[in-house]
Amino acid sequence: MTVVRLRRSLLAAIPVPLWLLLTYILFAPLLRNLSGPLPGGADSILYSWYFKEIQVSLWNGHNPFFTTAMNAPTGLNIMWNTAIILPAFLMTPITAAFGATTSVGLLMITAPLAAAGICYWVLYKLTGHLGGSAVGATLYGFGPFYNGQQGHVHLTLGAALLPLILYFGYQLVNPETRSWRQVGWRLGVVVGVTMLISEEIVAIAGLVALVSIVALALRYRREVRARLPFVARCVGWAAGVAVCICGPALAYQFLGPLVMTEGIHSSLSLDLLSTVRPSASMLFSTSADIAANRRFVTGGVENTGYLGILLILVAVIAVVVLVRAGRRRVAFWLGSSAALALALSLGTTVRVNGTQTWIPMPWLIFCRLPVVDTLVPARFSVATILFVSALLAFAVATVARADLGPRGHRVRFGGAVLVVVALAACWPAPGSKDQVVVATPAFFASRAVDTVTPGAVVLALPQSSSANGAAAVMKWQIDADLRFSIIGGYSFFSRDGTPHYDAQVPAYATTLEAVGNSGVAPTPADIAAARQSLLDGVGDYVIVTDQVSHQESVLAVLPEIAGCTPERVSDVFLCRVVR
């Protein structure tokens, strides 16, 4: 028995070397330098900032759900942001010892591995076939969604748990499942934990589950009607468990300070042709494909819906195989769910090669519902690829076990070649994407920063309302161990309940930034207004780095606005505000 188990364990581990190779392809630069720039542009710095803020809050006994370290003095409700609360809490020792960038980088690297591993286990539980499960898990964990979203760690970590929600969803509608309490509490734990990683993934899963059940109810009315009481009890039990896990955090989000009365609405939806035109994140994309992606609404950034003609063909064949094998319900469930998730990812109306066709899509029904209206339609592609992965797993398992007669070996070999080629078309391009390199002045990364009083409010120049410009200042703040609070920043800010990505900055900050950009001295009226805004507002220091385009002009006007004489400290000019 021990030998049999060992042999089976070795067989089960066969996909792991492939997954490690794909991980290296995706994250080679990051693996060589974990503390270096992360994929995801300004968002990667934002994740690092959250991780550092939560670590500092926990270390000092402060409220980890609210901070004034950014957007001073107003601050922000962290629960309204993609702070990835639970992983940030768990990674605090790593963050304290090795830095927030290392913590976030490690999670980015492990997310696709975790997704593939969890999906592998789920598909094996559903199909009982290692080969089919490995095919589906590889497509899910290292397919188009994870290739394109590698920099959005809240999505990749949350989506790693999505196969578990699929598994318990299958148990809900499976007549052989008897214990509604057992299924309910397990589903509740998964949903509650996922909520503390990515509320967006839970919302996507919930909406796809809803339309999937509606489709099943229309096709199998009698069976679904008989199952509804069981489903209702499971869902009710799961909701109670989930609330116990994430309820306190959600209560602070909706009842705490700086609550949003609405979310930011996104029009990022997939183009119909994006399903067959690979983006730059795919190895086999051509220059024509990349040019076509620029015509799509997603602009190639969030084109994660690529399947490819071959994979679409394989998915259709998989449905036929399951139907002919007598597994009509599974074929309908997975096939219709994949199609509905794809339809949701196309947004309110279909676009073809960047052209609006005005053909309505299901998202038109949901796009005005509270909470749901803040979802990014293109991201429903994660559900599409999961259902396609499950289809492949079931079909491969069915073909492997079927009696195909004397030509069975040829059929299986031909099918295997077709599946391998279809998956190879999704092979990722090497290297991390959209990295922002921030040059941190030595002042912030050395003992020189001790010149600044702990907890002081600082205006660091250059300060910009652009995501990259604001994120650069946040990176300096991270390197300074969040010693001070900053004016401005890049996050999700509430202005009387209305959401904005850019923070409100006082008039003196706007004036100094304008002088730094143009070199033009402000008028006496502008100086007086800037000085008054500083007297009426906040600001303890102004730090002028050598990265300011017209540094001398800023230094010349600072005494009139801030009442101080700038002093050279390390490689910056430090001005302590005099009121």
Side-chain angles (χ1 to χ4, degrees), residues 429-513:
S432 304
K433 312 297 186 299
D434 193 22
Q435 294 174 300
V436 173
V437 178
V438 174
T440 301
F443 171 84
F444 297 102
S446 67
R447 296 298 299 272
V449 76
D450 293 347
T451 311
V452 176
T453 305
V457 176
V458 170
L459 170 65
L461 298 174
Q463 170 71 269
S464 172
S465 60
S466 71
N468 286 351
V473 176
M474 292 161 58
K475 179 63 169 62
W476 303 343
Q477 190 187 16
I478 293 170
D479 292 337
D481 207 28
L482 259 65
R483 182 180 179 85
F484 50 82
S485 299
I486 60 170
I487 289 171
Y490 166 59
S491 195
F492 198 44
F493 304 108
S494 173
R495 299 184 193 171
D496 299 322
T498 303
H500 294 270
Y501 282 125
D502 56 312
Q504 279 186 303
V505 297
Y508 78 90
T510 303
T511 299
L512 289 172
E513 178 65 17

Side-chain angles (χ1 to χ4, degrees), residues 64-89:
F65 297 138
F66 182 82
T67 183
T68 56
M70 189 198 310
N71 191 36
T74 305
L76 71 154
N77 187 324
I78 288 180
M79 283 304 302
W80 278 100
N81 288 273
T82 52
I84 334 177
I85 291 293
L86 181 59
F89 274 48

Side-chain angles (χ1 to χ4, degrees), residues 101-123:
T101 301
T102 299
S103 287
V104 175
L106 285 171
L107 292 179
M108 285 183 174
I109 292 168
T110 56
L113 283 169
I118 292 171
C119 190
Y120 191 27
W121 180 85
V122 165
L123 294 179

Side-chain angles (χ1 to χ4, degrees), residues 397-414:
T398 300
V399 171
R401 293 170 179 147
D403 182 6
L404 302 176
R407 296 183 178 179
H409 292 298
R410 294 181 182 179
V411 172
R412 291 189 181 96
F413 178 77

Side-chain angles (χ1 to χ4, degrees), residues 56-69:
V56 169
S57 296
L58 292 176
W59 255 233
N60 292 283
H62 299 157
N63 180 0
F65 297 138
F66 182 82
T67 183
T68 56

Side-chain angles (χ1 to χ4, degrees), residues 349-352 355-360:
T349 53
V350 177
R351 288 182 175 85
V352 180
T355 302
Q356 183 70 264
T357 66
W358 304 109
I359 299 173

